[in-house]
């Protein structure tokens, strides 16, 4: 069995920009846009989740993980 080595560099290279309403920028715990995108790319590449399945995030925050879940073809409950 081989161990996969993943590159997790550049996870903070892009901000949310116009995807957020101005009020969301005051939230104290915003997820990084690039980090959330990378996490979803990783779990899909590893076949840990398939399009159409559901992600549950009880700490929905600004909806950053919801944003990328929906763009990845996943359902989201926050």
């Amino acid at each position: 069995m081989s161990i996969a080595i993943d590159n997790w560099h550049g996870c903070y290279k892009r901000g949310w920009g116009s995807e957020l309403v101005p009020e969301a920028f005051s939230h104290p715990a915003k997820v990084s846009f690039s980090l959330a995108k990378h996490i979803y790319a990783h779990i899909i590449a590893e076949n840990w989740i398939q399009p159409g399945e559901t992600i549950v995030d009880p700490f929905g925050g600004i909806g950053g993980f919801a944003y990328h879940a929906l763009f990845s073809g996943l359902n989201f409950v926050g």
Side-chain angles (χ1 to χ4, degrees):
M1 179 164 126
S2 65
I3 297 174
I5 298 173
D6 297 310
N7 179 354
W8 286 81
H9 298 282
C11 293
Y12 296 91
K13 65 183 176 184
R14 182 181 184 270
W16 279 99
S18 63
E19 283 90 350
L20 293 181
V21 296
E23 296 81 9
F25 286 101
S26 66
H27 192 284
K30 293 177 289 301
V31 65
S32 160
F33 183 96
S34 298
L35 177 62
K37 183 176 179 179
H38 193 98
I39 288 171
Y40 279 109
H42 180 77
I43 65 173
I44 290 168
E46 292 289 335
N47 292 314
W48 294 339
I49 194 163
Q50 304 298 315
E53 292 184 334
T54 301
I55 295 287
V56 177
D57 180 2
F59 306 103
I62 62 166
F65 282 104
Y67 180 91
H68 290 293
L70 298 173
F71 275 97
S72 298
L74 302 165
N75 300 308
F76 184 88
V77 176

